[in-house]
Amino acid sequence: MPAILRVLPALQHEKLYASLEAGGWTRVEQGTLAGLPSAAASTWRHPTLDAWVSWMDDPEFSRHFYGLVYGPQAADAEPLLAHDAWLITPAKGIATLQEATTIEHLGTAARALGVLACGPFNPDVFVVLCAMLDSGNPALQIDALTAVALSSWPQFETKLQALQASPGLDAEVRAEALEVIETQRASGWNREFRQDSTE
């Protein structure tokens, strides 16, 4: 299976599908691309590109769909998807978090931001997730750590080290922060975004 290039969150899948069709994308049978994730709800290919996008529905991380972009020309496919009105931008993701009225909704929005954060570094998303790490609420901190782990942005490394060492931190949060640090160190974080600045 070709390497995943990007993860693109999306809104209601019925409208997303109609938009994809209008943009020239064609839905393909699951068995036509070996190694597709078994959880893929649908897979699409553009006739002009050697690339696919598989749409996933994983409520553990988000109440939205997200797309995994594959193939030798995945970099060329991304612009054809990124302009779509049904994709969730960082601004939309942050607005969803700001509109949340419960801890549960805040956590869901944080995990959705984590899916967004699998793409290029975004300083606004970084600031929001750092604020959640500093919230002092263990449930929100765990959700924010999930988002950090999804992103693998190296800009979080120093932040997590400080969090893990802070006195009075909830034991579960401390253990989760340490696990994220060790896992990301072992994988080298996401080197693609190492050159970006948090300033």
Side-chain angles (χ1 to χ4, degrees), residues 31-45:
T32 60
L33 181 59
L36 275 177
S38 59
S42 68
T43 299
W44 300 71
R45 185 174 187 178

Side-chain angles (χ1 to χ4, degrees), residues 28-79:
V28 300
E29 293 296 327
Q30 297 292 89
T32 60
L33 181 59
L36 275 177
S38 59
S42 68
T43 299
W44 300 71
R45 185 174 187 178
H46 198 278
T48 65
L49 296 172
D50 188 10
W52 297 263
V53 57
S54 290
W55 295 102
M56 317 289 287
D57 187 7
D58 191 344
E60 180 180 354
F61 293 121
S62 170
R63 289 180 294 177
H64 307 297
F65 263 39
Y66 59 94
L68 306 180
V69 185
Y70 304 83
Q73 292 184 290
D76 298 318
E78 187 182 356

